[in-house]
Amino acid sequence: MAPPAPRTGDAVFANVERVNAELFTLTYGAIVRQLLTDLEEVEEVNKQLDQISIFRGYNIGIRLIDEFLTKSNISRCVDFKETAEVIAKAGFKMFLGVTASVTNWDADGTSCSLVLEDNPLVDFVELPDTCQGLYYCNILSGVIRGALEMTRAWCCMDKFHSAFWCCFKACISPEPNFWCTHQGMCLVRLATHPR
Amino acid sequence: MQFFGGSEISPAPSAPTGSGNNAHMMYIFNRNGVCLLYREWNRPLRTLNAQQDHKLMFGLLFSLKSFTAKMDPTSVEKGNLGVPQLPGQGCSFHSFRTNTYKLSFMESPSGIKIILVTHPKTGDLQEPLKYVYNLYVEYVVKNPLYVPGTPIRCDLFNTALDQYARSLA
């Protein structure tokens, strides 16, 4: 049996190459800003951040999963609870340098919220009034959806509205058809975290 | 659902360099059975055309996985024989050996299957296969021009693989 994997992700985080956090934040901010200028519709931008295309979240996710698996040596998770924990602790730590917490489990254990208290994507960001419906971190839900889909976890992400936490809700279904009909639904709520 | 996508052979029969030419062939498949890469270094006999060869290999692995999981004496819950298993679920087989070759296999939880056919005296190859998976991540997954799910056409990756295969004891 392989030695127990470092589920906290700290060891992995220490080993991966890193880029400057501000560079990352500013680059992402510039991208969202450009999307807003090009598309003008907040809803459109939300969709673009999540979908499959050259840059968007889903496309990142389907590649990210392989890197995550090689770097972190984690074997298949037994159930969804474990999956959520691994994403929150190891996954986020490895790629964003922060851990998320898993809360709000529903009665079945099929849906939960992942809360990012210290989200590097939203440093320095203020949303103007015209963009209140914008799910700024939507790319994160796209990435997670893409990554989970490659490991055959059919999931759909639910949207929330406004509020002060950057979090998104994922629910998992044993049947692939469920995912297909809800395909367009990955949205994330965001605002700046009150410091 | 399209199960077997189009795939093309990308042979690179390198001249035997003396010692270290242990690896015969390598296949990389993705979750859907598309052969992402086929590399051969030492294959005297070819009986089928490329497409059939890949399908045969994938079918073989699928059946072997199913069969080994079903026969597992330590697991409590076993699916019915023939039901597709999620990658990583159930026990996973590592290799089989005949008198002329040894076939080693590794599957990642994301469904990437790596097969390496070598000389029968070769030891356990799980670590080398993990290294190949690492190479795959570095050269292919991180390559923005690569479309996931299509055959790999990346010279750097091929070169790195050739070099590594040559170094396998």
Side-chain angles (χ1 to χ4, degrees):
Chain A
M1 268 274 280
R7 301 234 158 203
T8 56
D10 287 329
V12 188
F13 182 62
N15 285 335
V16 296
E17 286 173 13
R18 279 165 271 181
V19 295
N20 184 313
E22 270 135 29
L23 176 64
F24 174 65
T25 309
L26 292 173
T27 308
Y28 183 67
I31 289 170
V32 176
R33 193 161 186 330
Q34 191 59 44
L35 277 175
L36 278 168
T37 317
D38 287 341
L39 299 172
E40 285 169 34
E41 277 289 308
V42 165
E43 276 307 309
E44 268 301 306
V45 175
N46 288 338
K47 240 182 0 166
Q48 282 290 327
L49 283 173
D50 170 71
Q51 265 179 3
I52 306 171
S53 42
I54 292 290
F55 166 73
R56 319 305 177 224
Y58 180 82
N59 204 34
I60 296 179
I62 60 181
R63 296 164 189 262
L64 196 112
I65 181 68
D66 282 314
E67 187 177 355
F68 177 67
L69 288 170
T70 48
K71 298 259 161 71
S72 66
N73 258 331
I74 287 186
S75 56
R76 188 169 189 88
C77 295
V78 174
D79 59 7
F80 185 53
K81 281 209 162 66
E82 198 180 339
T83 309
E85 286 295 322
V86 166
I87 294 176
K89 303 284 180 277
F92 274 106
K93 181 72 182 167
M94 185 172 150
F95 292 106
L96 287 182
V98 294
T99 53
S101 52
V102 185
T103 56
N104 265 353
W105 281 103
D106 75 344
D108 292 334
T110 57
S111 96
C112 67
S113 293
L114 288 160
V115 181
L116 273 167
E117 305 213 355
D118 190 11
N119 187 353
L121 285 178
V122 308
D123 287 341
F124 319 128
V125 172
E126 278 177 20
L127 289 185
D129 293 329
T130 51
C131 296
Q132 282 307 315
L134 179 68
Y135 300 112
Y136 189 80
C137 293
N138 215 15
I139 203 167
L140 292 177
S141 68
V143 169
I144 293 186
R145 192 167 60 97
L148 284 179
E149 196 193 316
M150 293 305 280
T151 57
R152 289 273 174 183
W154 290 285
C155 78
C156 81
M157 314 285 242
D158 246 348
K159 56 183 164 192
F160 285 80
H161 273 290
S162 71
F164 282 101
W165 298 101
C166 179
C167 82
F168 41 92
K169 181 172 163 178
C171 60
I172 198 164
S173 154
E175 286 147 16
N177 292 328
F178 177 69
W179 180 83
C180 289
T181 58
H182 288 72
Q183 195 164 359
M185 269 176 60
C186 292
L187 295 167
V188 143
R189 67 171 167 166
L190 158 107
T192 51
H193 176 73
R195 289 186 209 281
Chain B
M1 167 173 94
Q2 187 184 16
F3 204 61
F4 290 108
S7 60
E8 285 167 57
I9 206 175
S10 53
S14 63
T17 52
S19 75
N21 204 17
N22 190 15
H24 296 337
M25 288 131 52
M26 170 177 289
Y27 298 76
I28 301 183
F29 291 97
N30 79 350
R31 224 173 29 158
N32 301 327
V34 176
C35 182
L36 302 179
L37 184 81
Y38 168 71
R39 212 97 182 113
E40 69 176 31
W41 297 285
N42 177 17
R43 188 176 188 176
L45 178 67
R46 250 176 259 165
T47 52
L48 304 165
N49 77 22
Q51 279 266 23
Q52 289 177 325
D53 189 49
H54 300 329
K55 282 190 199 171
L56 178 69
M57 185 58 76
F58 188 77
L60 168 74
L61 294 171
F62 180 82
S63 314
L64 269 177
K65 257 186 359 154
S66 200
F67 190 59
T68 51
K70 183 75 176 153
M71 276 184 57
D72 188 356
T74 61
S75 89
V76 172
E77 181 198 286
K78 304 175 205 187
N80 292 322
L81 196 61
V83 171
Q85 300 249 311
L86 293 175
Q89 197 182 43
C91 69
S92 58
F93 89 93
H94 288 177
S95 63
F96 67 76
R97 195 199 321 245
T98 71
N99 57 334
T100 48
Y101 68 90
K102 175 176 182 179
L103 183 145
S104 307
F105 170 73
M106 186 200 90
E107 181 173 22
S108 80
S110 60
I112 302 293
K113 307 186 211 315
I114 305 180
I115 298 107
L116 187 55
V117 177
T118 56
H119 188 274
K121 292 266 169 47
T122 319
D124 184 46
L125 283 176
Q126 287 299 300
E127 286 306 318
L129 287 174
K130 284 210 184 88
Y131 183 73
V132 171
Y133 185 45
N134 231 321
L135 285 181
Y136 167 76
V137 165
E138 290 298 317
Y139 288 107
V140 177
V141 168
K142 289 189 177 174
N143 184 344
L145 297 177
Y146 170 68
V147 178
T150 58
I152 299 169
R153 301 210 182 294
C154 174
D155 285 331
L156 266 181
F157 180 56
N158 292 344
T159 320
L161 260 188
D162 287 342
Q163 235 175 351
Y164 185 63
R166 236 164 293 188
S167 72
L168 280 175

